[in-house]
Amino acid sequence: MKKLMHVILMAALFSAQSTNVFAQSFNKAGRTAFQFVKIGVGARQASIGEAAISIVRDVNASYWNPAGISGIATSEASFSYATWFADTKYYSAAAGIRWEGIGTFALSFSSLDYGSITEALVSSPTGSADTRTGKSFTGGDMLIGFSAAREFTDRLSIGATVKMLQEKLFTYDVKVFAYDIGTNYDIGYKGMRIAMSAQNFGPSVKWLEHSNRSEGYELPLMFRVGTAFNLVNEQDGLFSMGGYHRFTVAVDAVHTNDYGDRLHVGGEYWLGSTLAMRAGYRFNYDEGNLSVGIGLNQVIGEMDVRLDYAYVNYTYLESPHRITLSVAY
């Protein structure tokens, strides 16, 4: 209990410090490339306010905290789709497997499709005000990753991801390799876990061979510290309402190199083992603060199938919808 109080105190101090930073108006937006890697993958994760690094322990953890894939029991696959801004589409897929005695491994893929873009010149050769050429072009972003995690004790997991990132627009494209690392620790009291992850370690990139910006653009480096605990659980919760009700709370503090510090808070309620209801809130965001979602889980034969949906509220931009289908077998 003494160790638990120390952990809670440290988490409270960290959150208080982050909240104090939120009052500052300064941010570092516009410094980084590959912005698509900041799009939260998975409807479950989005619906709990992206407070995901300690609570999510399935194949989708490869996008948040690679240590979390150690929660895969045998093998899993997941597919996600999101409608994004300006008629763009975001797709992702991941598959993972546990290799007993060795570790857990996962492959991940995601793509942001820009769709068809009308080509236009700076000025028309004929002097017309309409500079469109009648042609179109496209572009998109892509991530391909490989994650590995290992349980070093019955409570501590450590994982890492190596990934190739690509951005392409018209005839220009750039590729770079980046790396993630993460940890997940089970305290052993009321389902409490503490997790940390650092994402997108890699070199700076330049789009053009000749540019007045010789240093290039950095990747969006993200540091996350999170915790989750069972508020309601029959066996291992602060409160018990019978085996039919479970409620888990998660909190993440996020530090990046291109914005001020942020705080993510979310909760997930399970009615039995079939229906989940979720909600979350992201602090210090200009848009996309409040999120809600629902999940349905069904055992079909030897497969555990889950369908998740998330809605994130945006005021000035089009609110995106996310859907994820996951299968464990």
Side-chain angles (χ1 to χ4, degrees):
M1 180 61 70
K2 185 176 180 181
K3 291 182 179 180
L4 174 63
M5 295 305 297
H6 286 171
V7 170
I8 294 175
L9 179 60
M10 291 175 62
L13 291 173
F14 189 89
S15 299
Q17 183 179 9
S18 299
T19 305
N20 183 51
V21 175
F22 295 162
Q24 303 178 13
S25 60
F26 173 76
N27 68 66
K28 301 160 281 184
R31 291 185 52 197
T32 59
F34 290 96
Q35 290 292 299
F36 83 103
V37 299
K38 298 195 295 184
I39 299 175
V41 175
R44 181 191 179 201
Q45 293 86 333
S47 62
I48 57 175
E50 298 186 0
I53 68 166
S54 57
I55 193 175
V56 176
R57 291 181 50 76
D58 56 27
V59 68
N60 283 318
S62 57
Y63 296 102
W64 301 86
N65 176 12
I69 66 171
S70 61
I72 296 175
T74 52
S75 54
E76 290 186 12
S78 181
F79 310 90
S80 297
Y81 169 78
T83 58
W84 209 240
F85 313 126
D87 294 326
T88 58
K89 311 294 182 184
Y90 192 71
Y91 309 88
S92 62
I97 187 170
R98 172 180 288 274
W99 191 349
E100 288 297 338
I102 303 297
T104 311
F105 306 92
L107 291 173
S108 54
F109 168 84
S110 63
S111 174
L112 179 63
D113 183 5
Y114 298 170
S116 180
I117 304 172
T118 301
E119 183 183 69
L121 304 176
V122 176
S123 60
S124 173
T126 63
S128 172
D130 187 353
T131 63
R132 290 175 295 181
T133 65
K135 302 177 182 179
S136 62
F137 62 95
T138 187
D141 305 324
M142 183 177 66
L143 177 155
I144 300 175
F146 174 74
S147 304
R150 182 176 174 84
E151 295 170 315
F152 287 87
T153 70
D154 59 344
R155 295 186 178 182
L156 175 64
S157 300
I158 299 176
T161 297
V162 57
K163 54 193 179 184
M164 188 275 288
L165 308 175
Q166 180 187 42
E167 283 194 341
K168 183 177 182 179
L169 183 64
F170 192 42
T171 60
Y172 303 97
D173 73 276
V174 61
K175 297 183 182 71
V176 66
F177 281 91
Y179 310 90
D180 303 345
I181 56 173
T183 63
N184 191 295
Y185 182 72
D186 183 357
I187 291 180
Y189 178 79
K190 305 303 181 184
M192 181 174 285
R193 291 182 175 273
I194 292 179
M196 293 177 286
S197 71
Q199 296 178 281
N200 307 318
F201 287 103
S204 61
V205 296
K206 291 196 299 182
W207 275 83
L208 303 176
E209 184 178 351
H210 302 286
S211 170
N212 57 5
R213 185 182 174 90
S214 59
E215 69 274 21
Y217 292 88
E218 299 176 357
L219 300 182
L221 193 58
M222 306 177 69
F223 297 95
R224 302 176 188 262
V225 178
T227 185
F229 66 94
N230 295 330
L231 184 63
V232 177
N233 191 293
E234 182 182 25
Q235 301 295 332
D236 195 19
L238 294 177
F239 305 97
S240 175
M241 297 174 60
Y244 211 63
H245 303 276
R246 291 177 290 143
F247 185 68
T248 302
V249 177
V251 180
D252 284 7
V254 184
H255 175 80
T256 69
N257 62 342
D258 62 357
Y259 207 87
D261 292 345
R262 290 160 161 169
L263 187 68
H264 300 178
V265 180
E268 179 179 61
Y269 168 73
W270 277 95
L271 183 63
S273 59
T274 303
L275 175 65
M277 290 174 282
R278 308 179 180 108
Y281 198 89
R282 306 189 306 168
F283 294 89
N284 198 31
Y285 283 79
D286 298 323
E287 284 271 54
N289 303 93
L290 178 66
S291 58
V292 294
I294 190 170
L296 298 173
N297 190 82
Q298 183 67 47
V299 176
I300 303 175
E302 297 183 353
M303 297 189 301
D304 191 358
V305 182
R306 190 178 73 233
L307 182 64
D308 297 314
Y309 167 80
Y311 171 83
V312 183
N313 182 60
Y314 282 71
T315 303
Y316 301 103
L317 299 173
E318 183 179 358
S319 297
H321 300 266
R322 293 179 173 93
I323 187 168
T324 299
L325 176 65
S326 301
V327 179
Y329 48 93

